[in-house]
């Protein structure tokens, strides 16, 4: 029998005097006293860095309620799926995994399952969870993260399934940042949402319209990070260079970078993601002026064909894009360049695809994130009639990778023998005698070293090159 879903506003009056964080903490403390172990929580995160950062915020909240994070679903009492809708495959994966959760839940008497993130902002996947996945106890959207304690409390008190979704983007600044994934580099949201409506993209429907955070709030957050020993920040937004337009006192993205560059102790500034239509010469010139600005530009192009770019609603041409890349190379010749490319957008002919290959060869990207076009219901391109067959998409995709790999190899090989500065992130994933980190230009470098180097910037000599990473030796 299906249990009716309860919305948080139905219990708002009832629980108006409850301090949800303290209440859950008390329950969890009692559990600890009784069992001698803490209650455990697990978050599965899909999608972009925005989602990663949202999960970091959730971890903060969970830890403040005395949950301990785990990676083992069998020992967790709370499992949260922080979902992504960007491609159909990302959604299908979660739907499949949630199916398996039913068996896990039946085998345990105290497991709570929650689904959050972009999928829950969309009617279709949300309705599947509501009507078919009755073992999911809590559903909340991208704008409702601060409500997590209230959701957990209400679900526990009422024993009902609970839902909270809001369409308007509430800034989540008030979430305490007790916990971040790393203690030397942090993500900082500067702008939420997106106004661009690229015809293939679901994000404007899941993250709402653009809202910039105030520059003083951003500077304060980063100053605190720097005071706590953080060396690097990545400024996040779906379109970072349209930052500042809606502020009472407008501040351009370029001006924001200047403010952040002046923060003492901070060493590197990265940002994700700029849009080519809004990238100003003033911003590109900052690569020659701001010493902390990482010498890496990730500028998603999507296609090299003017016709396809028009149908994607991207508002720039191939020539305009190339001119931006040439400009930044003039300012800083060794800049590391990367991009996003969609293959097989509706109406992409062989000739149009070759325009993309040509653009890739001209720009010489160090690397690229490449995607097969995926139809997203509700977006304009999903209704275009000239969809491309899967096998054609795949064949083009492989040809694109060949070109990208050749350029990547060539560019990385040129770095052999050079000395670079690496901010060490972690023990290498492939060899535990090594550590890995990133150069200022975002190149991944592995070298023999120990965990005491994590969080430090060290000099490394490059000794070998792979397509996506470099090998090196620590210089004393
Ligand atoms: N806001 C950023 C990134 C958005 S999502 C930007 O504008 O560039 C990251 C990437 O996913 C996009 O750049 C695009 O290349 C890809 N993407 C988005 N929607 C897609 C779809 N429907 N099919 C395939 N790839 C898609
Ligand atoms: Fe999607 Fe385009 Fe917005 Fe990027 S700019 S999030 S691709 S709509
Ligand atoms: Fe995915 Fe949502 Fe990010 S759709 S890419 S998690 S904004």
């Amino acid at each position: 029998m299906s249990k009716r879903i309860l919305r948080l506003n139905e219990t708002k009056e009832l629980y108006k005097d409850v301090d949800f964080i303290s209440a859950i903490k008390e329950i969890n403390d009692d559990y600890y006293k009784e069992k001698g172990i803490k209650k455990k929580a697990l978050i599965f995160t899909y999608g972009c860095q925005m989602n990663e950062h949202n999960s970091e915020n959730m971890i903060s909240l969970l830890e403040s309620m005395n949950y301990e994070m785990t990676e083992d679903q069998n020992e967790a009492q709370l499992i949260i799926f922080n979902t992504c809708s960007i491609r159909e495959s990302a959604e299908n994966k979660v739907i499949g995994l949630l199916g398996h959760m039913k068996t896990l839940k039946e085998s345990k008497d105290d497991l709570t399952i929650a689904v959050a993130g972009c999928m829950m902002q969309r009617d279709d996947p949300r309705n599947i969870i509501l009507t078919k996945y009755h073992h999911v106890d809590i559903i909340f959207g991208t704008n409702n993260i601060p409500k997590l304690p209230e959701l957990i409390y209400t679900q526990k008190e009422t024993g009902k399934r609970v839902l909270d979704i809001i369409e308007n983007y509430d800034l989540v600044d008030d979430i305490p940042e007790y916990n971040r994934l790393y203690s030397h580099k942090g993500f900082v949201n500067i702008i939420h949402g997106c106004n661009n409506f690229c015809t293939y993209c679901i994000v404007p429907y899941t993250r709402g319209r653009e809202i910039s955070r105030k520059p003083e709030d951003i500077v304060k957050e980063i100053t605190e990070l720097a005071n706590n020993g953080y060396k690097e920040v990545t400024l996040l937004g779906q379109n970072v260079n349209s930052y500042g337009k809606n502020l009472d006192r407008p501040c351009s993205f370029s001006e924001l970078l200047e403010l952040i560059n002046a923060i003492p102790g901070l060493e590197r500034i990265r940002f994700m993601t700029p849009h080519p239509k809004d990238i100003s010469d003033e911003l590109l010139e900052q690569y020659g002026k701001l010493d902390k600005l990482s010498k890496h530009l990730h500028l998603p192009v999507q296609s090299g064909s003017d016709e396809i770019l028009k149908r994607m609603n991207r508002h720039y041409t191939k020539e305009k894009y190339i001119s931006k890349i040439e400009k930044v190379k003039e300012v800083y010749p060794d800049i590391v360049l990367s991009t996003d490319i969609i293959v097989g957008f509706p109406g992409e002919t062989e000739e149009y695809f070759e325009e993309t290959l040509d653009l890739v060869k001209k720009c010489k990207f160090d690397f690229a994130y490449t995607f097969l076009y995926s139809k997203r219901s509700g977006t304009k391109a999903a209704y275009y009639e000239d969809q491309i067959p899967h096998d054609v998409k795949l064949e083009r995709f492989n040809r694109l990778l060949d070109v990208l790999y050749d350029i990547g190899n060539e560019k990385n090989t040129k770095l052999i023998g050079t000395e670079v500065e690496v901010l060490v992130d972690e023990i290498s994933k492939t060899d535990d005698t090594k550590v890995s980190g990133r150069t200022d230009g975002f190149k991944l470098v592995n070298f023999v070293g120990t965990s005491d180097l994590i969080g430090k910037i060290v000099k490394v000599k490059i000794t070998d090159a792979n397509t996506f990473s470099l090998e090196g030796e620590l210089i004393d």
Side-chain angles (χ1 to χ4, degrees):
M1 203 182 71
S2 89
K3 280 189 264 169
R4 193 180 76 83
I5 194 104
L6 189 75
R7 287 168 193 271
L8 271 196
N9 55 13
E10 295 177 52
T11 46
K12 207 165 133 198
E13 212 29 51
L14 184 63
Y15 298 140
K16 68 177 188 306
D17 296 326
V18 179
D19 171 349
F20 299 108
I21 293 188
S22 306
I24 298 289
K25 188 169 175 294
E26 213 169 286
I27 297 173
N28 290 355
D29 286 347
D30 287 346
Y31 180 95
Y32 178 68
K33 275 183 215 138
E34 191 193 321
K35 311 241 176 183
I37 47 165
K38 279 192 174 185
K39 265 205 184 164
K40 301 215 169 49
L42 166 61
I43 305 184
F44 289 109
T45 307
Y46 303 88
C48 62
Q49 282 171 320
M50 242 78 55
N51 243 22
E52 293 280 347
H53 190 49
N54 289 155
S55 288
E56 274 190 324
N57 289 150
M58 289 189 223
I59 294 172
S60 295
L61 281 169
L62 292 171
E63 293 193 336
S64 69
M65 294 183 281
N66 247 349
Y67 281 97
E68 184 176 292
M69 300 311 293
T70 175
E71 294 195 352
D72 179 357
Q73 62 182 41
N74 294 311
E75 63 171 25
Q77 281 80 39
L78 171 65
I79 301 181
I80 302 176
F81 287 81
N82 190 12
T83 62
C84 169
S85 293
I86 201 85
R87 280 171 290 281
E88 200 181 359
S89 54
E91 289 197 342
N92 288 345
K93 195 168 165 184
V94 168
I95 295 285
L97 282 170
L98 279 174
H100 294 306
M101 285 293 131
K102 189 163 187 236
T103 324
L104 185 68
K105 185 154 169 139
E106 280 164 1
S107 72
K108 298 174 71 158
D109 52 10
D110 61 349
L111 174 61
T112 303
I113 297 175
V115 185
C118 287
M119 274 172 80
M120 294 303 96
Q121 296 290 136
R122 298 196 338 108
D123 293 345
D124 289 354
R126 191 174 61 239
N127 286 337
I128 293 177
I129 308 293
L130 283 173
T131 55
K132 300 207 176 112
Y133 289 74
H134 295 147
H135 56 290
V136 171
D137 306 289
I138 296 173
I139 294 172
F140 59 110
T142 53
N143 310 331
N144 310 67
I145 293 167
K147 294 286 182 64
L148 182 57
E150 187 175 345
L151 284 158
I152 298 174
Y153 181 84
T154 308
Q155 196 277 327
K156 280 196 190 318
E157 283 296 301
T158 62
K160 295 200 169 121
R161 306 173 75 200
V162 187
L163 173 138
D164 195 35
I165 307 281
I166 39 173
E167 307 294 336
N168 286 336
Y169 210 108
D170 262 348
L171 295 190
V172 289
D173 289 351
D174 53 341
I175 297 184
E177 298 271 7
Y178 301 117
N179 182 299
R180 288 178 180 262
L181 239 40
Y182 294 95
S183 46
H184 59 280
K185 60 174 188 179
F187 296 131
V188 175
N189 274 320
I190 62 163
I191 178 168
H192 300 279
C194 182
N195 291 354
N196 288 321
F197 291 93
C198 302
T199 56
Y200 49 81
C201 185
I202 200 76
V203 172
Y205 306 92
T206 65
R207 294 272 168 171
R209 296 296 73 73
E210 281 174 7
I211 300 178
S212 300
R213 288 179 65 200
K214 289 198 193 92
E216 52 271 31
D217 291 346
I218 297 168
V219 169
K220 184 167 166 257
E221 186 176 335
I222 299 176
T223 305
E224 272 167 27
L225 288 176
N227 289 343
N228 284 319
Y230 279 70
K231 297 206 165 62
E232 179 183 296
V233 287
T234 303
L235 311 177
L236 295 180
Q238 294 297 353
N239 183 2
V240 287
N241 46 343
S242 84
Y243 173 80
K245 286 178 189 159
N246 66 302
L247 292 170
D248 295 340
R249 257 181 301 129
C251 168
S252 72
F253 180 58
S254 182
E255 285 163 342
L256 179 71
L257 287 177
E258 283 171 13
L259 295 175
I260 298 171
N261 195 66
I263 296 175
L266 186 71
E267 306 217 21
R268 287 179 177 179
I269 308 167
R270 302 191 188 283
F271 58 85
M272 287 271 281
T273 311
H275 192 303
K277 83 176 160 66
D278 294 320
I279 208 152
S280 63
D281 280 356
E282 186 197 1
L283 173 59
L284 297 176
E285 277 155 18
Q286 296 291 26
Y287 281 99
K289 292 184 196 154
L290 303 181
D291 58 323
K292 295 177 186 173
L293 184 58
S294 155
K295 303 304 179 286
H296 167 214
L297 176 62
H298 179 72
L299 191 60
V301 67
Q302 315 300 358
S303 168
S305 149
D306 289 350
E307 181 55 32
I308 296 294
L309 287 170
K310 207 187 281 167
R311 300 183 107 211
M312 287 177 162
N313 194 30
R314 292 289 287 180
H315 297 283
Y316 54 86
T317 60
K318 177 185 183 188
E319 198 187 314
K320 182 100 182 284
Y321 182 91
I322 294 176
S323 76
K324 303 279 180 194
I325 297 291
E326 278 169 0
K327 167 83 189 172
V328 76
K329 281 183 183 162
E330 258 168 49
V331 176
Y332 196 88
D334 289 334
I335 190 149
V336 173
L337 294 167
S338 58
T339 195
D340 290 351
I341 299 171
I342 297 177
V343 175
F345 184 80
E348 184 188 73
T349 61
E350 174 60 24
E351 197 184 312
Y352 292 158
F353 173 66
E354 281 169 17
E355 294 279 355
T356 301
L357 293 181
D358 180 59
L359 176 133
V360 166
K361 287 176 194 157
K362 287 193 169 118
C363 295
K364 284 192 174 289
F365 297 109
D366 290 76
F367 64 94
Y369 300 107
T370 47
F371 308 99
L372 295 177
Y373 168 71
S374 167
K375 221 170 158 178
R376 308 312 292 124
S377 66
T379 63
K380 206 169 167 190
Y383 306 100
Y384 288 172
E385 281 178 359
D386 35 11
Q387 300 286 330
I388 306 297
H390 184 71
D391 56 338
V392 176
K393 282 187 203 165
L394 207 56
E395 189 267 340
R396 288 181 188 160
F397 187 79
N398 289 330
R399 274 158 63 203
L400 173 63
L401 289 191
D402 285 345
V403 174
L404 283 164
Y405 288 0
D406 282 351
I407 299 170
N409 269 322
E410 185 191 317
K411 290 188 93 170
N412 278 352
T413 306
K414 277 196 188 140
L415 294 173
I416 296 175
T418 60
E419 283 179 16
V420 293
E421 287 194 338
V422 176
L423 174 55
V424 182
D425 284 327
E426 56 203 0
I427 298 288
S428 165
K429 293 202 170 72
T430 48
D431 180 347
D432 64 9
T433 65
K434 292 185 174 176
V435 288
S436 68
R438 300 271 175 181
T439 66
D440 179 59
F442 202 60
K443 297 267 181 185
L444 180 67
V445 185
N446 296 299
F447 58 95
V448 172
T450 44
S451 58
D452 55 304
L453 294 176
I454 293 173
K456 293 190 176 135
I457 294 183
V458 293
K459 281 212 163 71
V460 175
K461 184 168 180 173
I462 301 302
T463 52
D464 207 355
N466 312 308
T467 314
F468 299 116
S469 63
L470 299 162
E471 303 297 319
E473 270 169 17
L474 187 64
I475 303 171
D476 298 323

